[in-house]
Each structure stands twice: as C-alpha cells, then as structure tokens.
Amino acid sequence: MPRIALVTGGSRGIGRAIALNLGATGHRVAVNYNSSADAADAVVAEITGAGGEAIAVGGDVGNEAAVVAMIARVSADLGPVEVLVNNAGITRDDLLLRMGADAWDSVVETNLRSVYLCSRAALRGMLKARWGRIISVTSVSGLSGNPGQANYAAAKAGIVGFTKSVAKEVGKRGITVNCVAPGFVQTDMTAGLGDDVKDAALGSIALGRLGTPEEIAGAVGYLASDDASYVTGQVLVVDGGLAI
Ligand code: NAP
C-alpha cells in the first residue's frame, strides 16, 4: 500500500534511485537534500512527471534543528512520515593515524547521528499510527571493515546496532526497522576511487561488476512494501557477492 515516504539524501545516487522507486510504486515522496537543491527538484519533477506526488525538503540530517524542521515540513505538506529511508551519507577516508578528529566527527554526524535524529523525529507519528517503516542504508564496510574507512565503517556498524535495538523497541507497535548494506555501487561517492581500488573490488565481487543505484533501491522498495511485513531487525546485503 502506498505511503508517505521521506528519503534523506534523495537528490543524488542511491537516494535518488530510492525516491524514484518509491514514487513509481505510488508513495508520496519527500526528497531531502543538503546542498543539491537543483538535483532534488529534478527528482521531484521526474516523480510528478510520471503522475506521482513529491516535494523537495532541504536540511542537514546531522543537525537536530534542521531535522525537526524537515519532519514538520513533510508532515504539513504531505502528512506524517510513514516510511523513513535514512540514506544520506558521506565518506572522508584516510588511514587511522592520519585521520583527523574533524573527519571522524563529520562522518559519524552525517552517517550515524542523522539516523538517530531522523528516526526519533519520525517515530512519534509512526507510534501514533501504529505503523511505520524505518530503513537505513548501511554498508558492507560496516560489516567487514575496510582499510582507510575506520570512521565510515564505525558509523555504518553503528547503524546495524541501532536498527536491531529499535526493532526490538517498536516491533509490537507495528513498526519494522531494517537496513540495506550495499557493496560497491556506481555513484558520485565511488566515482573518485582509483582504478586500482576498483579493480581490486571487482576481483572480490562474485557477480564481477559494480552495482547500480536501482539495484539498491529495489531492496529498499521491498522492505517498504507489504511483502516485508514480517521482516524486522535485518541487514539485507546487496553487494553482488562481495562479502561472502
Ligand atoms: P552520493 O552519490 O555521494 O550521494 C549522497 C547523498 O547524500 C546526496 O543526495 C547528498 O545530498 C546527501 N547528503 C550528504 N550529506 C548530507 C547531509 N548532511 N544532509 C542531507 N543530505 C546529505 O552517495 P551514494 O553513493 O548515493 O550513497 C548513499 C548512501 O549509500 C550513503 O549512506 C552511503 O554511505 C551508502 N553506500 C554507498 C555505497 C556506494 O558504493 N556508493 C556503498 C555502500 C553504502 P547533497 O548533494 O544535497 O549534499
């Protein structure tokens, strides 16, 4: 059944594909962005052009006041958030000895604190409705670790613990909490990686290729759908066989 969905970081990459997927299945979609307003507007135009309903909502997901304002804005314009997709994320890779506290803090703030802030803000409405879906985008880095990504892997592993804990807190109120763990996906985030890194990754991926944003969006669409009504506290790995 189509619902009101908020996709954080819906302006580009995986978030964009998730917003389009949910829009195509009839959800009314709020497309969050931080700096890419034009890209978010383009996603909204694509959804509405296909007969769907969508709005763009700016806001830094690591900032509490911005998150509270964003959830209020979605509530006012579309209705209470029923499906929250915590997708926004950044990387600031470096080996631990060279990793400054600012690189640690910014990655933890945008990738993990955001999940706490957005989920808590959206949860009130879900509890009232006794129905909700919280789906967070983690990473195989958070499951297996990755050199140069101690900050990112720690934040992504934090999402897994958060997901399992909150799933146990709110399950009896009709709310499921899950995450999707992509491997290497073709987006701006991976575009800057050197050929050596990509070649090494390709050698470890059973399917022998990078994933597409749409392939991650399909997994999120499933977890948002009624087909996933008995799935909670799970990490759905979508990595072409990288982590096996
Ligand atoms: P991307 O192409 O770099 O896009 C990142 C998105 O997050 C953009 O829409 C960006 O919006 C938004 N964003 C960043 N900081 C934000 C903030 N403070 N507040 C609100 N939005 C913010 O990245 P991606 O590859 O699609 O990654 C999406 C998610 O998948 C991330 O959580 C990432 O960690 C995860 N992931 C990606 C891969 C991969 O291989 N690509 C693998 C595993 C997991 P603006 O442009 O408006 O700033």
Side-chain angles (χ1 to χ4, degrees), residues 14 182-191 210-214 216 238:
I14 293 170
F184 274 92
V185 182
Q186 282 171 316
T187 67
D188 294 342
M189 186 176 273
T190 49
L210 302 192
T212 65
E214 290 71 24
I216 308 305
V238 185

Side-chain angles (χ1 to χ4, degrees), residues 118-184:
C118 293
S119 302
R120 193 181 57 161
L123 194 57
R124 287 185 208 291
M126 294 179 186
L127 287 169
K128 218 168 158 189
R130 299 189 77 83
W131 196 95
R133 295 284 161 91
I134 298 174
I135 304 158
S136 302
V137 181
T138 176
S139 166
V140 292
S141 289
L143 307 176
S144 311
N146 202 21
Q149 290 200 311
N151 51 356
Y152 183 79
K156 293 300 190 183
I159 291 178
V160 175
F162 175 91
T163 294
K164 293 182 181 186
S165 299
V166 180
K168 288 182 178 182
E169 281 187 27
V170 300
K172 291 192 177 61
R173 311 291 285 274
I175 300 164
T176 67
V177 191
N178 291 289
C179 33
V180 171
F184 274 92

Side-chain angles (χ1 to χ4, degrees), residues 13 57 83 121 142 197 214 237:
V57 273
V83 177
V197 178
E214 290 71 24
V237 178

